[in-house]
Amino acid sequence: MLVGDSMVQSERADGILLAAESAVRTLDDPKYDRQLATIRGSILGLAGRHEEGLASLELALEMTDAAGGDLVRSVVLNNYGNALYGAGRPADALEAFEEVRELNLRVRPPGHSAFIANHQNRARALTALGRNDEAVSSLHEALDAGTRAYGADAPGLGVLYLNLGVAQSDQHEFALARENVERAKELWMTVHPPSHRYFEIADINLGVIANRTGDLELALRHYRDAKARAIQRGGKRGSGVAVVMGNEGNSLYALGRFEEAVRVHREALSIEEEVSGADNPGLAYPLIGLARDLLALDEVVEAVGVAERARLLREAGQAGPAEMYITYIVLAEALARRSPSDLEQARDWARAADKAFEKTGLPAADAKEFRMFETAYGLP
């Protein structure tokens, strides 16, 4: 998980927007309409109301194009890219961030903070698309620029160190990944309380690293530390709790504690639906975890339905290849186990999983679920 924007509760978003609209109505200047549309779009996106947010930002872009000006367009387009990313559309987000980069080169002086933000935003989208080498390169550029601008111990560099660690973990550079995530925490300790969301995200990623290196108990401890921070920050059903519980459930699954994993994933799904709505692509994460738990307990029929729902959400949200790979292969296994009559359909989804994995840039050894399917069911 790369550090992104915090979620805003929908009712809080309405209150903020009402105040902004009241202020703009007192000003007779078209530029404030554009600014309001930008603010509205960004806040609605943070609240999980992605379609409304994107529509408002598209209106702001139309106003910007009518008025002219590369500098203003770069600002609005950057917000639009962030909204696309939040809506689960990393390919579209990357296209926006690439245009922002070109605009910045035309209108901003070297060393401007906008270049650092753009490197980071590009890296988020590239990581989601499985283009890990490019993501790492972009993050190194951001970190080098940030160090030159602010000094080596600037707390603001913590986000860059953490995101670099995430990308390095995806490349199996686990020692470097752990070192950079810990460095992020060191920098944040100078300015943020322990309950801050950044520490929660760092603990999640330390859990991911521990899991990938085979230390499953350590991974579970990191995830539970993160959950405790999320609860302290926003309550037992706050916006961050579901994400952490998804990781906790996956860790329990890896430890063979399947009944506990089912309980945790069901609760994570319930919280995420309550916070983000039934159509949010983020629901696919606990759904796929739950489908795997159910398969481990031989609850195959329910597993098919759960995995199919995750597939529809991720396809609608233009999820990256790594997410589509695991979604397709879990669905394939569930169908193959449900009935012999479903085997050909299962093989089709396994082939789709293989194609998705090819786009991740990850080592072939990481596609162990596909190899297990191929061995068990064949792919003639």
Side-chain angles (χ1 to χ4, degrees):
M1 171 189 287
L2 275 70
V3 170
D5 296 309
S6 300
M7 292 294 292
V8 179
Q9 295 294 338
S10 185
E11 60 270 20
R12 289 183 58 207
D14 287 334
I16 295 169
L17 290 171
L18 181 61
E21 289 166 356
S22 297
V24 167
R25 278 197 294 268
T26 66
L27 304 168
D28 186 19
D29 190 328
K31 74 179 180 181
Y32 293 113
D33 293 331
R34 182 195 65 237
Q35 291 173 354
L36 177 61
T38 304
I39 293 168
R40 170 186 287 278
S42 299
I43 291 174
L44 289 171
L46 292 175
R49 292 158 60 179
H50 299 296
E51 292 305 317
E52 294 174 80
L54 289 170
S56 187
L57 285 162
E58 286 161 4
L59 176 61
L61 283 170
E62 290 176 9
M63 295 178 183
T64 300
D65 291 341
D70 287 347
L71 181 61
V72 174
R73 179 172 175 80
S74 72
V75 174
V76 178
L77 190 61
N78 184 67
N79 282 278
Y80 186 55
N82 283 325
L84 288 166
Y85 180 87
R89 295 168 56 182
D92 294 334
L94 180 60
E95 183 178 345
F97 294 142
E98 295 290 11
E99 184 181 343
V100 170
R101 186 183 196 182
E102 295 303 316
L103 291 169
N104 285 340
L105 288 170
R106 291 206 295 266
V107 300
R108 297 188 188 277
H112 193 281
S113 60
F115 289 102
I116 302 171
N118 182 250
H119 288 314
Q120 182 180 347
N121 287 334
R122 290 181 64 253
R124 285 196 299 159
L126 288 163
T127 298
L129 293 168
R131 294 162 61 178
N132 299 316
D133 289 345
E134 293 172 82
V136 168
S137 177
S138 190
L139 286 165
H140 275 299
E141 289 183 74
L143 191 56
D144 290 345
T147 300
R148 289 195 301 271
Y150 305 115
D153 295 323
L157 299 182
V159 170
L160 301 178
Y161 275 108
L162 182 131
N163 289 345
L164 180 59
V166 172
Q168 289 168 329
S169 176
D170 288 339
Q171 291 186 311
H172 289 200
E173 297 285 350
F174 297 121
L176 286 173
R178 186 181 297 108
E179 178 182 330
N180 281 317
V181 175
E182 293 288 3
R183 175 61 174 155
K185 291 179 74 173
E186 288 176 8
L187 293 174
W188 290 331
M189 284 176 186
T190 64
V191 291
H192 294 305
S195 61
H196 194 281
R197 185 169 182 260
Y198 283 176
F199 293 104
E200 173 191 328
I201 295 173
D203 284 337
I204 291 173
N205 283 289
L206 289 171
V208 171
I209 295 166
N211 184 67
R212 289 176 171 177
T213 55
D215 196 338
L216 303 180
E217 292 289 352
L218 177 60
L220 183 59
R221 289 198 296 274
H222 280 305
Y223 294 144
R224 286 180 169 168
D225 286 346
K227 182 171 73 172
R229 294 184 196 273
I231 291 171
Q232 182 182 5
R233 181 171 54 85
K236 289 185 177 181
R237 299 188 70 82
S239 60
V241 177
V243 173
V244 185
M245 291 187 72
N247 286 279
E248 180 188 7
N250 290 345
S251 193
L252 290 165
Y253 171 88
L255 288 164
R257 294 158 60 176
F258 304 127
E259 291 85 357
E260 291 178 75
V262 165
R263 178 185 57 77
V264 170
H265 277 132
R266 287 196 195 279
E267 186 174 355
L269 180 61
S270 171
I271 295 170
E272 190 65 28
E273 286 179 323
E274 184 179 304
V275 170
S276 303
D279 297 325
N280 191 299
L283 293 172
Y285 186 64
L287 283 168
I288 284 298
L290 177 59
R292 296 176 72 187
D293 303 337
L294 292 167
L295 286 172
L297 295 171
D298 209 28
E299 299 288 346
V300 177
V301 174
E302 185 181 358
V304 171
V306 170
E308 175 65 10
R309 184 183 175 195
R311 178 187 72 82
L312 293 171
L313 286 169
R314 280 189 166 159
E315 287 182 344
Q318 299 184 19
E323 288 79 14
M324 295 315 308
Y325 162 72
I326 195 64
T327 304
Y328 289 150
I329 202 63
V330 170
L331 178 58
E333 181 186 351
L335 286 165
R337 288 175 57 181
R338 184 173 70 175
S339 170
S341 64
D342 292 326
L343 184 55
E344 284 309 311
Q345 185 183 6
R347 287 170 173 159
D348 287 342
W349 287 122
R351 293 185 185 101
D354 189 35
K355 290 180 181 178
F357 189 85
E358 289 175 0
K359 298 176 183 178
T360 66
L362 296 171
D366 282 8
K368 56 184 182 298
E369 298 90 355
F370 174 78
R371 303 302 171 203
M372 289 172 66
F373 181 96
E374 188 176 35
T375 298
Y377 302 104
L379 285 172

